[in-house]
Amino acid sequence: KDTTLFRSSSICYRGWLYKQRVEEIHHNANSDMEGRPTDEHHKDDRLQKFTNNDLALGILAPLATFDQMLRMFGKKNSRGEGYLWNRYMRGWVTATEKEYTGYRDALKVLDAKVSEIYGKDMTWGDLFTIDRKLPKASVRFFDGGEMKDHELTQGNLLYIYMADKMSNDRPEATAEQRGTEQTAAQLPR
C-alpha cells in the first residue's frame, strides 16, 4: 500500500514539475515580447494570401523535386526535415555527400602527386592541358572495314600501347616453349 501511494505521488510531482517548466517558458516568452506591438509584422493582403496558399502553390508552382516536396510536408522543422524527409532522403543525401567528399579527396591526392612530380603547384586538370599541347601522331588502322588515317594525341597512343601489352589472361610463351630464340617483341604478329 505504501509503494502505491509513493508511485502516485511521484507521478503527480513529475506532472507538477512539467507544468512549472511550461509556465516558466511562457513567462520568458511574454517577457521578451513585452512592450512590442502585436501587429508590427507584415500582414498579407488577399492576393498574397491566395498565392501563398498551399493548394495554389501546388497548382501554380512548377513541379518540385522529391526533396522539396518532402521538405514542404515537414514544415514543423526549421529546415523542413520532417519524418518523411528523414525516412526517404536522409540516406541519399548522406551518400551523395560522401561521394562528393570522396571525389574531392581523390582529386586532392592526384593534385599533390602531380605537383610532386612536376616540382611546381599543378592540378590533375593541368595534365589534360599539357596532353592537348603535345604533338599528335598520324596513325593508320582499320576503322569500319576501311583503312583510315587518324591523328592521335600522346595520351591516346599511350593507351593503345598499354592495351596492346595487356596479357588478356593468356600467358606469353617463353622462347623455350616456342622452340626458338626470338623474343615476343621480335615475333611477327
Side-chain angles (χ1 to χ4, degrees), residues 36-99:
R36 289 186 171 208
T38 57
D39 61 348
E40 72 175 333
H41 298 296
H42 171 74
K43 298 263 194 241
D44 291 342
D45 60 6
R46 288 161 51 114
L47 179 63
Q48 288 172 332
K49 284 182 182 177
F50 173 73
T51 55
N52 290 332
N53 183 345
D54 287 338
L55 181 62
L57 283 174
I59 294 171
L60 300 175
L63 293 176
T65 64
F66 189 63
D67 177 50
Q68 291 168 334
M69 187 174 64
L70 291 179
R71 285 181 190 273
M72 186 178 73
F73 291 136
K75 285 185 178 177
K76 291 183 180 177
N77 189 302
S78 61
R79 295 176 58 194
E81 297 174 1
Y83 295 112
L84 289 173
W85 190 90
N86 278 331
R87 181 179 185 108
Y88 296 108
M89 292 299 294
R90 172 80 58 203
W92 182 83
V93 169
T94 305
T96 304
E97 188 173 333
K98 282 182 182 176
E99 177 188 15

